[in-house]
Amino acid sequence: MTLTPGDDLIETARQRTRDQFALLQKAHRDSIIVDTDDPADFNFMCSADHVLLPPADRRADPQSPKFDPEYSPDEDEEDAVSRLVRWFEGRPGYGALPAREPQPRGGLSRRFPLPPRTEPAPDGKDLLATLAEMDDDPELGPGFATPDHLMHICPKGSICPATEPAETAVIGLWPPQTGTLNAGAGVRVLVIDTGWYDPAADPHAIQPIPQNLPWDWLTNPDVVGDPEPDGIWDDEVTHELRPYAGHGTFVAGVVRSMAPQCEIRVLPLLIDRNAPGGGVFEQQLVDDLYDALGHEQLPDVINMSAGCPTRLNLPSRSFEDWRAELRSRDPVPDLVLVAAAGNNSSPWQFWPASFKWATGVGSLDHDGSVSSFSNWGDSADVFALGRNLVNAFPNGTYHCHETPDKRDERRFENWRARWSGTSFAAPLITGLIAAEISRQQPADRSAKRARDTVLAALPRMPSLRARKVAAVRAAQFPAQP
């Protein structure tokens, strides 16, 4: 990029954030808000329409493993929804309560649509003004109601990684497959992302397509998944790729580069078909987790390249309740969640990576330094190479949507892309854990023990918070051809 007088690299990054937020608003039909006047300064994004409340008592929920048909709440006991309804009733400054929304699965957090304010807050931020009033009321207090945050992976925006995808002349898989060819055999990995792309099943794919798939490390029939909800094309005739299409396929390819024989199922992150290319609300994502864990065989490892900071820096309510529900079924579930630490260049919490029960992954550059975009601190338990990885990507034309590359045309012609972000550092760790599980005796396999073994074997590096964390140094991978 050529700088002209008045240009500033920091302002360029800030404009990129505004560009990403504009994409999100368009995707979600303006139903999201940020907590600042300028989107470039935001701390979190959330739904403009509803909040999340503490879960109902599971003893009264017939769908819960803790259901007790003889349970009868005390007369003075009041669930969160009833408390908030009573709080609003007769309160000046508010209109009538909207109709109740369908509730999340699993008997956990309650979704509560807020009534309109008679004097709207600036810029459509009614929800934040109402939450501030709840915080100041001793009957409710801070954290009683929380926003339904938008999960994303980016410097400050959508589900995007730290960069938009770029062309590469590299042919073949890079980083190369490591370890033995049967690494990961018999291990089930769930990739929660944008979805799976199979060009052989796409009537609009650019021809010719190499035999089966154009990626030999993903041709194993044990790599499956649901397609991206809105497809990968903005224009099927010109083969214009929509923003961040192929992200889930790229991530699956990175996992397979470390564990060539693991079973992978790619679950689409985007629930709403009307919101392509954007993030997903935390409650929708957790609903998807219920679907994934409802199958007969649970995964050994879940890879999640999504997350978010939150209001008041409180833990994500949806994930907190999901974990509680999972433990109500099994007090010590042998399931490992690997989550991207986020690309906010920040030490602030990024959920779910910041949970103690999750393994958060930050990004390293090739020289072993922490990537400029990567989060650090509580969200990063381990660092791995996340700068300029090369892996599976659809052929087609891509026009950049973000500053400083907005309207730049990129042509993908060899079924590969170069991409950066903690989105891609995380699946390297997922693959290492899957490979370690496969080395254990079948009757004595433990995903958690494999995770601990992998992290204990990695070299240590001091983080910017003065604690030492494990790191897969870039030097452990062969140099780029």
Side-chain angles (χ1 to χ4, degrees), residues 355-406:
F355 282 112
K356 293 185 181 299
W357 44 264
T359 302
V361 186
S363 172
L364 295 178
D365 290 349
H366 292 276
D367 62 2
S369 61
V370 175
S371 302
S372 58
F373 54 79
S374 178
N375 284 354
W376 69 93
D378 290 341
S379 67
D381 299 296
V382 59
F383 287 85
L385 181 65
R387 174 83 73 177
N388 284 335
L389 271 71
V390 173
N391 222 289
F393 193 76
N395 277 2
T397 301
Y398 180 82
H399 286 91
C400 294
H401 298 263
E402 301 165 10
T403 302
D405 302 312
K406 189 182 292 187

Side-chain angles (χ1 to χ4, degrees), residues 272-295:
D272 185 357
R273 292 176 181 269
N274 295 316
V280 60
F281 292 121
E282 61 175 282
Q283 190 66 76
Q284 293 174 310
L285 182 52
V286 168
D287 276 358
D288 244 14
L289 273 174
Y290 279 110
D291 286 346
L293 299 182
H295 288 261

Side-chain angles (χ1 to χ4, degrees), residues 2 8 57 69 103 155 174 180 186 224 235 245-246 255 262 293 295 317 321 375 383 398 421 447 457 467:
T2 301
D8 180 87
D57 195 307
Q103 291 300 320
W174 183 86
T180 60
V224 297
D235 190 312
V255 174
C262 71
L293 299 182
H295 288 261
R317 169 156 284 161
D321 293 341
N375 284 354
F383 287 85
Y398 180 82
R467 66 186 177 104

Side-chain angles (χ1 to χ4, degrees), residues 24-45:
L24 281 165
Q25 280 195 310
K26 180 179 178 181
H28 290 275
R29 290 177 167 78
D30 297 321
S31 65
I32 60 170
I33 54 175
V34 296
D35 62 326
T36 55
D37 293 334
D38 186 340
D41 301 317
F42 88 86
N43 297 301
F44 65 88
M45 293 181 288

Side-chain angles (χ1 to χ4, degrees), residues 148-370:
D148 194 353
H149 298 94
L150 195 77
M151 312 290 286
H152 56 88
I153 284 289
C154 62
K156 295 264 185 173
S158 65
I159 185 187
C160 63
T163 62
E164 294 185 85
E167 309 99 319
T168 179
V170 175
I171 302 296
L173 173 64
W174 183 86
Q177 293 181 356
T178 62
T180 60
L181 290 179
N182 66 347
V187 180
R188 297 180 298 276
V189 175
L190 176 68
V191 171
I192 299 179
D193 214 281
T194 59
W196 167 246
Y197 179 63
D198 179 355
D202 180 4
H204 304 288
I206 295 178
Q207 304 294 329
I209 300 172
Q211 184 178 8
N212 295 321
L213 290 177
W215 313 297
D216 55 5
W217 63 100
L218 288 170
T219 56
N220 188 302
D222 289 331
V223 179
V224 297
D226 300 326
E228 302 194 23
D230 204 59
I232 68 166
W233 307 109
D234 265 346
D235 190 312
E236 296 168 343
V237 176
T238 63
H239 294 103
E240 174 81 16
L241 293 161
R242 65 173 179 77
Y244 320 120
H247 189 281
T249 302
F250 193 102
V251 167
V254 175
V255 174
R256 269 298 186 96
S257 71
M258 311 304 293
Q261 293 298 313
C262 71
E263 303 171 21
I264 296 181
R265 177 173 171 241
V266 185
L267 185 74
L269 178 70
L270 304 180
I271 313 298
D272 185 357
R273 292 176 181 269
N274 295 316
V280 60
F281 292 121
E282 61 175 282
Q283 190 66 76
Q284 293 174 310
L285 182 52
V286 168
D287 276 358
D288 244 14
L289 273 174
Y290 279 110
D291 286 346
L293 299 182
H295 288 261
E296 185 175 339
Q297 286 188 312
L298 295 181
D300 299 294
V301 188
I302 296 176
N303 186 94
M304 183 177 296
S305 292
C308 64
T310 59
R311 182 177 184 265
L312 304 181
N313 226 23
L314 295 172
S316 162
R317 169 156 284 161
S318 299
F319 276 91
E320 196 171 43
D321 293 341
W322 170 76
R323 176 67 174 181
E325 181 72 3
L326 187 64
R327 294 190 66 178
S328 74
R329 304 179 188 187
D330 182 349
V332 190
D334 188 37
L335 175 67
V336 170
L337 174 66
V338 179
N343 303 326
N344 298 66
S345 307
S346 167
W348 291 100
Q349 281 92 342
F350 192 83
W351 310 94
S354 289
F355 282 112
K356 293 185 181 299
W357 44 264
T359 302
V361 186
S363 172
L364 295 178
D365 290 349
H366 292 276
D367 62 2
S369 61
V370 175

